[in-house]
Amino acid sequence: MTITLAAALAAARAWTRIYTARMAPAIRDARRSEIESDLWELHEDARRRGASPTRIAVHTLLRLVLGVGDDLLWRAEQLRVRPRVVREALWAGAAASLVFVWWLASMLQAVDRYSAVDGINVVRLLYPLRPVASVPPLPAPPPLSRRQRIKN
Amino acid sequence: MRRKPGTLVPIELDICEAAAALRSRGADEFHGYEIARTIGDAANVRLLTAYGTLYRALARLEKMGLLRSRWEDPAIPARENRPGRRLYTLTALGDAALEEARRASEAAARPRARRRFAPA
C-alpha cells in the first residue's frame, strides 16, 4: 500500500468518525462498519481489476468529497435537525470558502514575491522554494564622471 | 431534491433497478459496494456513487420499507479476513415501487396524442 492510498483511506475513516461523532452508538457503529466494508471492497475490486494504488486513492477521495453534503444531511436527519438548516449552513460554508479563496488570491497578487511583508513572506510560506544560486550578480555601474556628479 | 409524494428520486430508482438486476443474476442479498458497482456498470461510468449519497439513500429506502437489511454472520468475515457486510434485500414493496416508477417513466416518455380537428 502506498502513502497516497493509506492517506486516502485514513481521510475516509477520519471523516466518517467526524460526522458520526456523538450519535447513538448503534447508528454510529453501523455507519462506520458499512463505510469500512465499502472501503475494503473498493480496494479489493480495484486491485483485482489492475488499478494502480494512486487511482484507487483518487477514486476513494472523490467518492468521499462528493458525498460530504449527504453525510451532513444524513447526520441532521438522524439527529432530527431540520435539513433546511443544514442546507443553509452548507451554502454559507461554500460562500465563505469562495470569499476566502478570493481574498487569498487577491492577497497573493498584492504581495511582492521577493520581499518580506511585516517580517513574514506569505508567498515564501506558501511556496517554500529554494533561492536560485546560479543567477550571476549584476555588473557594477560605471563610475560617474565629474560633470555627471556635479549635474546630480 | 424535493420529491413528489409516492415517487422515487433518481438515486433511489437506480438502487432499486440495481437490486432487481442483481436478483435476476441470482444474488438476492447485496452489499453497498455491490450496488454502487452495479449502478456504475449500468451507467457505464468509472466513478461510483459517493459514499454519503449511496448510504443515505440506502437508509432512506430501508426506512420507506423498500429494502430490508441485516448484518452477515460474523464468522464469515472473520474467516475471509475482511470487514463484515451489511446485506440488503429488495422487498415486495420495493418491487411494487420499482414497477410503478417504470410505468410512470414509460408514460412520461410516450408522446402525447395531439388533438386533431376533423376536416370540415
Side-chain angles (χ1 to χ4, degrees), chain A residues 30-31 33-35 37-42 45 49 55 59-60 62-64 66-67 70-71 73 77, chain B residues 31-33 36-37 46-56 59 71 81-86 88:
Chain A
R31 174 52 74 99
S33 304
E34 209 163 13
I35 297 293
S37 167
D38 194 308
L39 290 173
W40 190 89
E41 301 286 350
L42 169 67
D45 186 37
R49 288 167 186 248
R55 197 172 197 146
H59 199 145
T60 304
L62 279 174
R63 284 186 78 197
L64 171 71
L66 294 174
D70 277 308
D71 285 331
L73 286 168
E77 282 161 10
Chain B
H31 52 83
Y33 178 75
R37 168 57 56 203
R46 282 189 183 172
L47 183 62
L48 303 183
T49 313
Y51 296 115
T53 312
L54 177 69
Y55 290 104
R56 185 174 167 230
W71 285 94
N81 199 21
R82 60 167 173 77
R85 292 168 175 165
R86 187 176 190 166
Y88 293 89

Side-chain angles (χ1 to χ4, degrees), chain A residues 108 111-128:
Chain A
L108 290 178
V111 167
D112 183 2
R113 217 165 241 263
Y114 301 104
S115 67
V117 178
D118 295 332
I120 301 167
N121 191 331
V122 181
V123 177
R124 276 286 156 85
L125 280 176
L126 290 171
Y127 306 103

